[in-house]
Structure formats: structure tokens, C-alpha cells
Amino acid sequence: MQDVANLANVSLATVSFTINNSKPVSPKTRAKVEAAMKDLDYRRNAVGSALARGRTHVLALLYPALQHRFSPTSIQFFTSAADQARLRGYNLVLWPMSNDAEGVTELTSSGLVDGVVLMEVQLDDPRVGELSKSNVPFALIGRTRETTGIPFVDVDFEAAVENAVDRLVQLGHTDLVLIDGGIGNQLLGGYGPVARTRKAFGEVTTQRGLTGSIMSGLHSSAGGRELARELAAKHPRTTGVLMMNEHAGPGFVAGLQQAGYRIPQDISILALASSLDTTGMSEPEMAVLISPADELGRLGVDALIDQLEKKDQPLPQVLIGCSYSPGATMSMAPDRAVES
């Protein structure tokens, strides 16, 4: 910087003001400094600057990639969050790590990031406890069992389940099955979305006097085909399915057709908290309550940055509903169709 100042015939402070935009510099002086920087091949040291400011303007998005597969819907979260961070002057990095406290401690003690956004949150998530003990701001896309004093944005899974069940009931379906990836969810124990959906499904079907069963399968097309065989064998009277296993959905639809089901004449299928990209992979295309992934990614980043820049603001706790897309897998229940 001193070399730049000497060549441009300005003070060292003026070079600093030009580089950091920390104080006004005239256009003529800025041009002289930038020309000197170019002549000397001088580049700002971002790491050194961050150390001097005590801020990196880097945010980490923690995703347990070893325990939970990526999906088209999760990609929407990433891209939306990254776009919002960029608009607000930050860089967002995807940090694939296990859902354990040890990894979080290493990250927060490194000084590499200003804050953390957590995804794929467990009901009793060890990362949250560790972050709460640190001085690093954080926000959740998802929520823990106990949410007091914790900023979060999440899908309103309870409302989504009630919406889905009522849509099927209105079409005459009374024997329903919820299909998910299991509470373990590929080693991700106590996975919040599945646990909440299961609980809500049990409560809503009981309140409405319906028959409700839960099935779990692998997160793959092959897992979906196996689920179709299991449903045909164990739940032959079921006419309505809530699908909350994105990777298994297309295989499930294909497996039912191979088993002789006509869709939607014999059985209706409604995907929960998924995306049009995913449900469009099946034939016919599944009806879906669309996850508000774009909005949640944006709000999750805002919840974190607001803690960094507006420290007196209340911590947000926001639930967002799903929107419905009809697809081609919803129809009146077979008995109702015959009556009609």
C-alpha cells in the first residue's frame, strides 16, 4: 500500500480510503490510486482486511451432506440463500459436515465466518446447543423441539399435513398412508420435518375418524418401488397417499403402476413439502404441496444478517405455508367415483 501511495503521490490513508470505501475520495484521486494499483499489480488481501476489521463477510450454510442426500428442493434453499447473501454484501459458503457439536466448534473457533445458517435441523440438535454457547450468530432453516430464544424460519408442516389430509377427504378418501424416509433419515436422528409430519398425521387422522398408517423407505427410486410393493401387500384398501420422500416418489408411482394400479383412478398421491422439479419426474406428474424453499432460504439469511447489523431487532420465528399444485395424481376415491 505504501508503494501505491508513493506512485500515486497520495497518503497511505488515502489509499486505504480508496480500497475500503471507508471515506469519500475524489474521482480524480481514486483514478490515480487505481492506476498505481494496476501498474504495481497490487491486489487487496481479503484475509488481511477481514482480520483488521474483525469481520469476514462470509456466512456458512451447514448441511449434513454425509447423513442426508441433496435433493432438488434443498438446492432451491442453497441458491435462494446465496442470492440473498450476495444482495446484502456477504458471501455464503456451503459447509457440508456432520450434525455434531465437534464440527461446529471447529468452525466457530476458526474465525473464518461471521455467522452460521443451519439446515436439516433435528428436534434435539447438538449443533444448536454448541452455537448457543459461542459468540457466533446463527439462524435455523428448520426448528428444534425447544425454540425459546432461537431464531428460525421453517415450513409449517402441521398445517401442510392438515391441508393434505383435508384435500384427500374432500375427494372421499378415508384410508390414508403417509410415506416418509423414517425418523433416522439416513443416520440423521430425530429429523424435525419427519417427526412433526408424523405427529400431525396421527392427530389429524384420529380427529377426523380416518384410517391412517405410516410407511418408511429408502431415499431412492428403488426404495420407492419397494414401498409400492409393500403398500399393495399390506394396505390394499388404501386409496390416498401422502408422499414425503422426494427421492422415492417417482419410483413409487412407477411401482404402483407395475403392480396394476391406475393412477389416479385407483389411488391418489399428494407429495408433501416437495418441489415441482421433483414431482415432475413421475408419470403422471404428482400433485404437490410445494415447499416455500426460495422464501425460506432468503428469510434464513436475513435472520442471520439482521443479527449482525441490527443487534436490537427481535429474533424472528417464522412458519411459512406450502402452496398447492394439482398435478395429475388426485382423483375421487374409487367408491365415490362409482357413486358419481
Side-chain angles (χ1 to χ4, degrees):
M1 287 179 65
Q2 186 63 63
D3 291 341
V4 171
N6 293 340
L7 183 59
N9 196 28
V10 298
S11 69
L12 183 63
T14 299
V15 176
S16 178
F17 299 155
T18 303
I19 293 172
N20 296 307
N21 292 312
S22 52
K23 287 188 178 181
V25 176
S26 71
K28 182 179 179 180
T29 300
R30 178 177 293 276
K32 287 170 57 179
V33 171
E34 291 177 347
M37 289 171 61
K38 184 176 181 181
D39 288 345
L40 294 172
D41 196 26
Y42 172 82
R43 294 179 179 84
R44 180 186 183 191
N45 188 314
V47 175
S49 178
L51 288 172
R53 295 194 316 266
R55 292 277 295 277
T56 66
H57 275 74
V58 175
L59 311 177
L61 179 63
L62 269 59
Y63 189 95
L66 299 179
Q67 298 157 298
H68 193 72
R69 288 182 60 187
F70 294 112
S71 69
T73 304
S74 62
I75 297 300
Q76 286 184 262
F77 282 103
F78 303 155
T79 55
S80 172
D83 284 345
Q84 186 65 9
R86 178 181 54 80
L87 288 172
R88 297 195 60 175
Y90 289 78
N91 293 305
L92 184 77
V93 295
L94 177 60
W95 208 282
M97 62 189 303
S98 297
N99 267 34
D100 56 47
E102 182 179 353
V104 171
T105 302
E106 294 176 359
L107 173 61
T108 56
S109 63
S110 68
L112 294 174
V113 299
D114 289 342
V116 174
V117 179
L118 275 66
M119 283 188 63
E120 307 304 316
V121 178
Q122 298 163 265
L123 291 179
D124 302 297
D125 200 306
R127 301 173 301 172
V128 175
E130 192 64 24
L131 283 167
S132 296
K133 293 187 294 185
S134 75
N135 293 320
V136 176
F138 69 95
L140 313 184
I141 299 179
R143 55 196 149 118
T144 48
R145 191 189 313 275
E146 174 55 54
T147 59
T148 303
I150 297 175
F152 71 81
V153 297
D154 197 11
V155 176
D156 191 340
F157 289 101
E158 293 82 357
V161 170
E162 187 169 10
N163 186 341
V165 170
D166 285 345
R167 287 181 182 277
L168 289 165
V169 168
Q170 289 167 8
L171 293 171
H173 299 278
T174 58
D175 193 320
L176 310 180
V177 164
L178 167 67
I179 292 179
D180 60 36
I183 289 292
N185 209 21
Q186 295 189 1
L187 305 181
L188 193 61
Y191 183 44
V194 172
R196 287 193 166 85
T197 298
R198 284 187 171 191
K199 184 175 184 293
F201 180 74
E203 291 173 349
V204 173
T205 52
T206 298
Q207 291 167 1
R208 286 156 177 68
L210 308 172
T211 300
S213 303
I214 297 176
M215 295 170 54
S216 298
L218 297 176
H219 292 253
S220 65
S221 183
R225 293 174 189 273
E226 179 57 36
L227 283 164
R229 289 189 287 269
E230 182 181 342
L231 183 140
K234 296 181 179 180
H235 304 283
R237 296 180 60 82
T238 291
T239 61
V241 173
L242 282 67
M243 172 60 68
M244 195 180 176
N245 185 329
E246 282 197 299
H247 296 286
F252 178 74
V253 172
L256 285 180
Q257 292 171 321
Q258 290 172 353
Y261 283 85
R262 299 170 302 158
I263 302 174
Q265 295 91 333
D266 297 329
I267 192 166
S268 291
I269 306 168
L270 176 54
L272 280 179
S274 186
S275 65
L276 292 174
D277 286 341
T278 299
T279 55
M281 295 177 186
S282 68
E283 180 57 46
E285 181 177 343
M286 279 187 286
V288 56
L289 284 167
I290 303 168
S291 170
D294 289 340
E295 187 173 4
L296 288 174
R298 174 176 58 80
L299 292 176
V301 165
D302 281 341
L304 175 57
I305 296 177
D306 286 348
Q307 291 180 67
L308 295 167
E309 299 182 351
K310 305 174 183 177
K311 297 183 184 297
D312 58 339
Q313 292 291 319
L315 298 177
Q317 295 189 337
V318 181
L319 295 178
I320 307 294
C322 297
S323 57
Y324 179 67
S325 177
T329 58
M330 294 283 281
S331 178
M332 289 187 293
D335 291 343
R336 179 73 63 84
V338 170
E339 292 172 5
S340 299

